[in-house]
Amino acid sequence: MRPHPTGPPTSAGHILAVLRAEGPLTRLELQDRIGLSRPTMVERLDALQRFQLIRQTGLRASSGGRPAQMLAANDVGRTALVADIGQRHATIAVVDLRGTVFAQVRRPLPAGHEPGETFSGLLDTGRDLLARTGRADSLCAVGLSVPGQIDHGEGTTIAPPTMPHWTGVRLRERFTEALSVPVFLENDANALAFGAYCDLGRPDAALVGVKVGTGIGAGLVISGRAHRGETASAGEIGHIRIEGREQRCDCGRRGCVSAIASGQAVIRELRPTGVRTAEDVVRRVRAGNADAIRVTAAAGRLVGTVLATVVTIVNPRYLCVGGAVGVLPPFLDGLRDVVLANAHTSALDGVHVGACKLGVDTTLAGLAGLVADEMLAPAAVDALVHA
Ligand SMILES: [Zn+2]
């Protein structure tokens, strides 16, 4: 369940929040929960109906009287464009606010790609997808994820060292200007963690999501919200230094987790055997190649040592692993073995360690969920219906 909604307890936005958390409900059940007079409730519901924020979901039999119409939040009528921009790939999709994907395209990106080109390519593809799905008219927001940190105040990115052109890019402004809708930015591992949380049905439990693709990052969902920390760097485990390790990292230091156990590090280690890309690693592991299995398992074990500490401190119910390399069985098994061996015993009581079930779509689902929480927040809804 979502945390209990806050805000003016009788506003239209609050009613929608109750429907999101507890719906579908009949009008009478809503009245009982919120304590509004019938005329005020009718007025609020009319406003929500006018903006297509609620929908009727069927009838509930009631004792004695007529069956009552049930109402739910309408998270399927509005559309978001979401894009996960990575170091070597970008995926862009048209989704509704529930996270249903109507169309998506995954494009390779050149190493060291520049924002200008990537930006116009994404925009062209996004417009094309909106036209193809017939959902351009219901577009209400854009959600974008990138590796590295986000300056949420400025709407800019603080990119990882492998994306040197992406620091200080005014991503929010550029997409807002192009599409004239609100734009929300999120770190890719935070979006992945939030996608895993949404896919689990938004449980009332803490969740740690870990993304191991080209780089490594983690995200936290606590009390139903992405926990970003004081400088939006919560979960940046990739550049924790491991004592006694000397591998050079792209950040300029030595011995970082990312330099030893990221997809890029795995590729580097397997290069003498002919591996060039993350896809090569995936193919070889699936084919049972002994070198590829050994190296990915060792990487998983190293990430597991860091996560044992994270699990002990956060004490989550779920530890969800995603990313092309993270979901490979040798990586995941190595990670799980070390977490279970090293974390505090009581922190392991009932913890679920597993792969993100939605695979590469987990980040897109997370962006859809984050956009939904922003667009359907009580204050946002009240501003909309009173505009
Ligand atoms: Zn580093």
Side-chain angles (χ1 to χ4, degrees):
M1 292 294 288
R2 230 169 258 110
H4 205 72
T6 55
T10 57
S11 73
H14 179 81
I15 292 170
L16 186 68
V18 172
L19 281 175
R20 285 189 80 204
E22 301 175 38
L25 296 170
T26 66
R27 281 162 203 262
L28 208 57
E29 288 166 339
L30 260 176
Q31 251 172 274
D32 281 351
R33 271 181 183 62
I34 297 171
L36 271 180
S37 69
R38 192 182 139 76
T40 314
M41 179 61 81
V42 167
E43 189 188 308
R44 301 274 195 272
L45 290 176
D46 280 351
L48 290 170
Q49 192 84 62
R50 203 160 53 243
F51 287 91
Q52 298 179 352
L53 290 164
I54 52 173
R55 63 195 173 98
Q56 301 186 338
T57 58
L59 298 172
R60 177 173 288 161
S62 68
S63 57
R66 288 187 297 143
Q69 187 64 248
M70 287 190 296
L71 300 170
N74 183 10
D75 50 8
V76 296
R78 295 204 289 169
T79 298
L81 195 60
V82 292
D84 178 31
I85 304 165
Q87 300 182 28
R88 300 305 307 269
H89 293 95
T91 306
I92 184 161
V94 170
V95 297
D96 63 21
L97 297 189
R98 185 185 286 182
T100 309
V101 176
F102 295 98
Q104 68 169 291
V105 172
R106 182 171 155 88
R107 291 257 159 81
L109 295 171
H113 55 91
E114 296 197 21
E117 282 166 34
T118 305
F119 172 79
S120 50
L122 282 177
L123 208 52
D124 288 347
T125 308
R127 286 188 171 124
D128 178 50
L129 290 179
L130 283 167
R132 250 202 284 154
T133 53
R135 294 187 68 98
D137 290 344
S138 63
L139 180 72
C140 71
V142 170
L144 303 172
S145 63
V146 290
Q149 287 159 253
I150 310 284
D151 182 332
H152 289 278
E154 296 290 318
T156 56
T157 52
I158 305 164
T162 42
M163 292 171 74
H165 306 295
W166 282 77
T167 288
V169 175
R170 309 197 73 81
L171 210 49
R172 189 167 65 202
E173 195 176 289
R174 295 173 82 163
F175 271 84
T176 308
E177 275 170 13
L179 293 167
S180 304
V181 291
V183 175
F184 304 100
L185 307 180
E186 194 51 83
N187 164 269
D188 63 346
N190 289 359
L192 175 122
F194 206 74
Y197 164 75
C198 291
D199 184 44
L200 287 164
R202 294 177 174 252
D204 184 12
L207 178 148
V208 175
V210 185
K211 184 175 188 181
V212 185
T214 309
I216 293 180
L220 307 174
V221 180
I222 295 172
S223 301
R225 296 179 67 87
H227 173 81
R228 294 167 175 160
E230 298 303 318
T231 60
S233 66
E236 285 285 349
I237 59 171
H239 299 281
I240 293 175
R241 293 184 65 197
I242 303 293
E243 193 69 31
R245 306 295 286 265
E246 290 299 322
Q247 287 91 332
R248 185 182 292 279
C249 183
D250 295 318
C251 74
R253 303 201 302 177
R254 288 180 179 272
C256 293
V257 171
S258 187
I260 308 165
S262 65
Q264 214 168 25
V266 168
I267 293 166
R268 196 181 306 132
E269 194 154 343
L270 289 169
R271 196 173 287 276
T273 71
V275 165
R276 293 289 175 272
T277 64
E279 288 76 16
D280 293 341
V281 176
V282 172
R283 232 181 341 261
R284 291 202 185 193
V285 168
R286 295 223 169 106
N289 177 282
D291 286 330
I293 290 172
R294 175 181 50 79
V295 172
T296 46
R301 293 181 70 81
L302 186 106
V303 175
T305 60
V306 175
L307 290 176
T309 306
V310 174
V311 164
T312 304
I313 291 172
V314 177
N315 192 191
R317 173 73 58 220
Y318 300 96
L319 174 56
C320 301
V321 187
V325 173
V327 299
L328 291 172
F331 187 98
L332 192 58
D333 291 346
L335 178 153
R336 186 191 288 108
D337 287 350
V338 173
V339 169
L340 297 183
N342 293 8
H344 189 277
T345 322
S346 71
L348 295 170
D349 191 15
V351 71
H352 300 269
V353 183
C356 292
K357 285 202 292 293
L358 294 175
V360 291
D361 290 347
T362 310
T363 309
L364 302 178
L367 287 170
L370 289 161
V371 167
D373 284 5
E374 295 282 355
M375 298 304 290
L376 302 178
V381 169
D382 289 338
L384 182 71
V385 301
H386 294 127

